[in-house]
Amino acid sequence: MFNKFIELVKSLYPGMDPIPLHAPVFMGKEKEYLNECIDSTYVSYVGKYVTKFEEMTAEYVGAKYAIAMVNGTAALQIALQIAGVQSYDEVITQPLTFVATANAIAHTAAMPVFIDVDLDTMGMSPDKLADWLKSNTKFSKNLDCINKITNKRISAIVPMHTFGHPCRIDEIIDIGSKYNIPVIEDSAESLGSFYKGKHTGTFGLAGILSYNGNKTITTGGGGMIITNDEDFAKKAKHITTTGKIPHKWDYVHDVIAYNYRLTNINAAIGVAQMELFDKYLINKRETSNIYRNFFKDSEINYFNEPLNSSSNYWLNAIILKGKEEKDAFLTYTHDNNIMTRPIWRLMSKLGMYNLCQTSNLDNANWLEERVVNIPSSYRIKS
Ligand SMILES: Cc1ncc(COP(=O)(O)O)c(C=O)c1O
């Protein structure tokens, strides 16, 4: 079985050795736009490609505003700050995520609380969230949601759409509003993924995207906040542009702020990538069909897009029988120069976060033992 898998992957990515998990492709006008940036000398964060990239993204995801940033981690930190997260608050997220989710929370000087995921989405479980909030929180006089054990304010919920598969985000939003907690979606992995016909990242107060080199499309490094809230968008732009009050020559700043905007150079690559995004998505969906078909009659389960969803299938995932099989699969594929990767170690097990409060994490633990990502790059010779 494992050797048949090697043959399949080699046929999907002929001529590649090793075969990476997810390599970027530059098949559009990237070089042309980069040259234009250099010729124009607009290489920094002011420039037409930044604006164009933001407009294209807002239009694609169906959000009123998109604000480009240096990376997804910074975008998430800023989104949390604007949502009102303050030092010593608590922010609810899932333990099964890339470390950047927890780090962005920590960068605001808040503490994460980890709530279990659903087995069929790998994203935050609304049922476990509701149960945990019900038994662990109370309202303060001004109706903030307070953790009964730590007495800290819970000021945001950050669900994540794992590997591009949407979680049950509408239910999470409903629960958040019941407890007066805003939802910021970590949609870093899910550009091109829709839930009930609506783009991920546009359900909550704001969402964030990542354009890291391993994502479906890349700007080298980059991120985006997407939101329908005008005030939120204005604050995001202001605080990531050193808090400078717009003026022709005066340098006056009215807030402690950041230099977090995306450069025109990075945005130029992003515009070229967005122009071919639909093509990339179709190709990725075809790859997912090939894998699904391959694993259909085997003991290994292929992870399908959840109900009511259209996933970008950023990273294809399979579920092995247990830890032993998982380790054997990883060893065999790596020995054959095929890059596969186990799902992340749970955040609640990392030294920085192992004292954080958690719900029961049965599902996250189960998935952590079994899930592996398999090569998912755009297939050039398809
Ligand atoms: C779930 C998740 N959140 C946040 C990030 C952070 O994005 P970036 O690498 O652009 O900082 C990533 C990706 O890298 C991610 O996968």
Side-chain angles (χ1 to χ4, degrees), residues 23 33 41 43 81 123 189 214 220 237 252 275 282 310 332 334 365 378:
Y33 296 164
T41 76
V43 293
Q81 274 178 229
E189 305 179 352
N214 65 351
K237 193 163 176 179
V252 181
E275 285 170 351
I282 291 169
S310 172
Y332 192 82
H334 278 258
N365 277 307
Y378 178 87

Side-chain angles (χ1 to χ4, degrees), residues 71-73 97-98 100-101 160 186 188-189 208 210-212 215 222:
N71 57 51
T73 313
T97 183
F98 179 57
T101 315
M160 201 277 279
D186 185 342
E189 305 179 352
I208 68 102
S210 164
Y211 304 96
N212 187 27
K215 294 293 184 294

Side-chain angles (χ1 to χ4, degrees), residues 348-362:
S348 47
K349 293 181 184 169
L350 301 183
M352 310 83 84
Y353 301 119
N354 64 7
L355 296 178
C356 296
Q357 209 173 335
T358 72
S359 71
N360 152 318
L361 300 181
D362 286 352

Side-chain angles (χ1 to χ4, degrees), residues 46-194:
V46 175
K48 70 172 187 184
Y49 286 113
V50 177
T51 313
K52 181 125 197 257
F53 188 40
E54 290 176 337
E55 285 169 0
M56 285 172 99
T57 307
E59 194 190 334
Y60 180 84
V61 303
K64 283 195 185 137
Y65 308 96
I67 307 99
M69 318 232 154
V70 285
N71 57 51
T73 313
L76 186 51
Q77 177 205 332
I78 294 299
L80 289 170
Q81 274 178 229
I82 297 173
V85 175
Q86 294 175 1
S87 309
Y88 311 115
D89 282 354
E90 290 176 356
V91 172
I92 294 176
T93 190
Q94 56 197 63
L96 194 70
T97 183
F98 179 57
V99 69
T101 315
N103 283 347
I105 293 168
H107 294 159
T108 67
M111 279 284 256
V113 172
F114 297 112
I115 300 293
D116 204 7
V117 294
D118 280 329
L119 287 175
D120 58 343
T121 68
M122 294 189 277
M124 186 182 288
S125 161
D127 306 323
K128 297 245 183 141
L129 173 68
D131 283 351
W132 189 87
L133 283 167
K134 193 169 173 211
S135 38
N136 288 279
T137 64
K138 61 186 181 189
F139 283 111
S140 69
K141 270 195 201 120
N142 47 354
L143 297 181
D144 282 335
C145 180
I146 306 292
N147 183 330
K148 280 196 287 201
I149 296 168
T150 59
N151 248 345
K152 307 270 191 219
R153 188 171 75 112
I154 298 172
S155 51
I157 300 172
V158 184
M160 201 277 279
H161 303 289
T162 305
F163 306 142
H165 299 304
C167 65
R168 288 155 61 194
I169 185 64
D170 51 351
E171 293 172 61
I172 292 171
I173 306 272
D174 285 349
I175 297 163
S177 24
K178 206 168 135 197
Y179 285 86
N180 289 337
I181 314 174
V183 174
I184 302 292
E185 288 172 74
D186 185 342
S187 31
E189 305 179 352
S190 63
L191 179 64
S193 301
F194 294 80

Side-chain angles (χ1 to χ4, degrees), residues 270-321:
V271 169
Q273 295 261 296
M274 273 307 271
E275 285 170 351
L276 294 183
F277 187 48
D278 286 340
K279 185 180 156 102
Y280 295 152
L281 278 183
I282 291 169
N283 186 287
K284 288 179 80 65
R285 186 156 279 272
E286 283 167 3
T287 310
S288 78
N289 289 336
I290 295 168
Y291 279 139
R292 181 179 307 103
N293 222 15
F294 177 82
F295 288 111
K296 189 168 71 209
D297 300 318
S298 85
E299 288 195 325
I300 298 173
N301 280 318
Y302 176 74
F303 198 96
N304 279 307
E305 63 194 348
L307 218 58
N308 300 317
S309 299
S310 172
S311 173
N312 65 4
Y313 281 101
W314 167 50
L315 286 186
N316 290 280
I318 53 174
I319 307 177
L320 289 117
K321 268 199 306 190

